[in-house]
Amino acid sequence: MIKITTPFKLSLLASAIALTGCGSSSDDSPVDSQGRAGAEVSSFTISAKGGASINGQGGQGGYVEILKYNSASELNIEKEGVISSSYTLPEQEPQFGTNAAILSESETVQLVYVSNDVTDTSTHLPDAGKLYLIDSTMISEDVNISNENLYRLYKSDGISELGADNTEVTGLTIEEGANLILKANNGGTINLYFKNDLQTTGSIFTENEDDTRLNLDLMSAAYYGNGAINLSGSKIGQSGGSLTIYAHTIKNAGEINTSGATDNEGGTAGSGGQIQLYAN
């Protein structure tokens, strides 16, 4: 269940894709008990496989969609063999802006509700140094805040009001071994926008809740991925969340996983979330 569209020309996009399909059901051949998949071309994969079900229905695989614009570079999607290395990605220096943040230890981003009611404890400013997002579904009517500011990541200084411009994280580095764990700030979706770049050798996870993992809508000037984005289902029968990345430059050498979870209790396995990469 792979959908690839390349209507224009590619930006800097380098990633191996393991072409993965639907999960197996209880009436499938035993050799398909782990689902059907093409041979991986590297140890780093993009996977949206549906979960397998031992006694019930296998989950649907998600689709992978890659769009490229404004560049003459090639886009190679290989089911097996070796990816062509004839095209060398130009070197680029990440830019993190005026208020860059570095995550060296795992952290769950706090979710806050903005209100002018100082007695409301949900509006309290997080401790200095803590990362937070604003819950866009819980904005008090007496607060004037732009949609652009709603989906930014903030790092509290312990003094400035919630959503203050001087506390906005303009660019983020996630170091190896560190996990950025995100909560939904827009219903069942996490919207996370950066004015500058996002670079990770660590991992990005969404909070694990409900029947489907939360979706992640990520926008940055550039995305440099050497770590993992893991939105896969981890509970029995849980579907994977969907991932969308918008960036001028996408340079990925890490794992992206939106696969559904297996169900071994006779129910329907989780479906894979869709993966969309838009490089401009």
Side-chain angles (χ1 to χ4, degrees):
M1 299 202 172
I2 300 295
K3 177 183 178 184
I4 305 295
T5 36
T6 55
F8 299 109
K9 296 184 178 180
L10 176 67
S11 177
L12 308 183
L13 178 59
S15 185
I17 298 181
L19 298 181
T20 56
C22 301
S24 61
S25 301
S26 56
D27 57 353
D28 286 339
S29 168
V31 299
D32 289 333
S33 60
Q34 297 303 313
R36 295 172 285 277
E40 295 181 8
V41 294
S42 83
S43 59
F44 304 109
T45 63
I46 294 178
S47 177
K49 184 174 70 174
S53 181
I54 305 304
N55 297 308
Q57 179 65 43
Q60 294 293 311
Y63 68 79
V64 177
E65 182 177 49
I66 300 174
L67 283 83
K68 58 176 186 172
Y69 303 88
N70 303 326
S71 173
S73 61
E74 296 179 356
L75 172 60
N76 297 313
I77 305 297
E78 302 289 348
K79 290 182 65 175
E80 57 187 11
V82 179
I83 291 178
S84 170
S85 59
S86 59
Y87 175 74
T88 302
L89 295 175
E91 291 295 327
Q92 286 191 295
E93 186 70 26
Q95 303 293 322
F96 299 106
T98 57
N99 194 24
I102 298 174
L103 188 67
S104 56
E105 297 181 352
S106 297
E107 182 172 346
T108 298
V109 175
Q110 296 184 36
L111 196 63
V112 299
Y113 162 49
V114 179
S115 170
N116 286 332
D117 181 1
V118 295
T119 66
D120 188 343
T121 58
S122 64
T123 70
H124 286 181
L125 187 68
D127 294 338
K130 294 296 184 181
L131 299 173
Y132 69 89
L133 289 168
I134 295 171
D135 188 342
S136 67
T137 66
M138 295 289 289
I139 300 295
S140 175
E141 293 182 357
D142 56 1
V143 172
N144 183 19
I145 185 168
S146 70
N147 287 335
E148 181 181 354
N149 289 342
L150 278 179
Y151 304 129
R152 304 293 179 174
L153 183 66
Y154 295 92
K155 185 173 183 178
S156 175
D157 60 6
I159 302 172
S160 302
E161 63 181 11
L162 292 171
D165 290 343
N166 63 295
T167 62
E168 179 190 328
V169 176
T170 54
L172 178 66
T173 299
I174 305 172
E175 295 186 334
E176 185 175 1
N179 298 322
L180 179 71
I181 304 169
L182 300 167
K183 297 184 177 183
N185 61 345
N186 187 19
T189 298
I190 299 159
N191 293 90
L192 182 59
Y193 302 159
F194 296 96
K195 291 178 179 175
N196 293 95
D197 298 348
L198 171 61
Q199 177 175 263
T200 176
T201 53
S203 298
I204 298 175
F205 291 91
T206 59
E207 191 176 52
N208 192 9
E209 59 180 23
D210 300 328
D211 295 329
T212 300
R213 201 75 181 247
L214 295 171
N215 302 321
L216 176 58
D217 188 345
L218 179 64
M219 182 182 296
S220 58
Y223 172 75
Y224 300 100
N226 290 296
I229 297 180
N230 190 339
L231 311 184
S232 63
S234 60
K235 301 177 181 179
I236 292 175
Q238 186 182 42
S239 294
S242 293
L243 172 69
T244 303
I245 299 178
Y246 300 91
H248 178 75
T249 296
I250 298 176
K251 187 175 182 180
N252 184 63
E255 180 186 55
I256 296 175
N257 190 350
T258 65
S259 299
T262 295
D263 189 311
N264 56 9
E265 296 185 351
T268 300
S271 297
Q274 66 187 31
I275 299 169
Q276 296 173 296
L277 307 179
Y278 298 112
N280 195 35

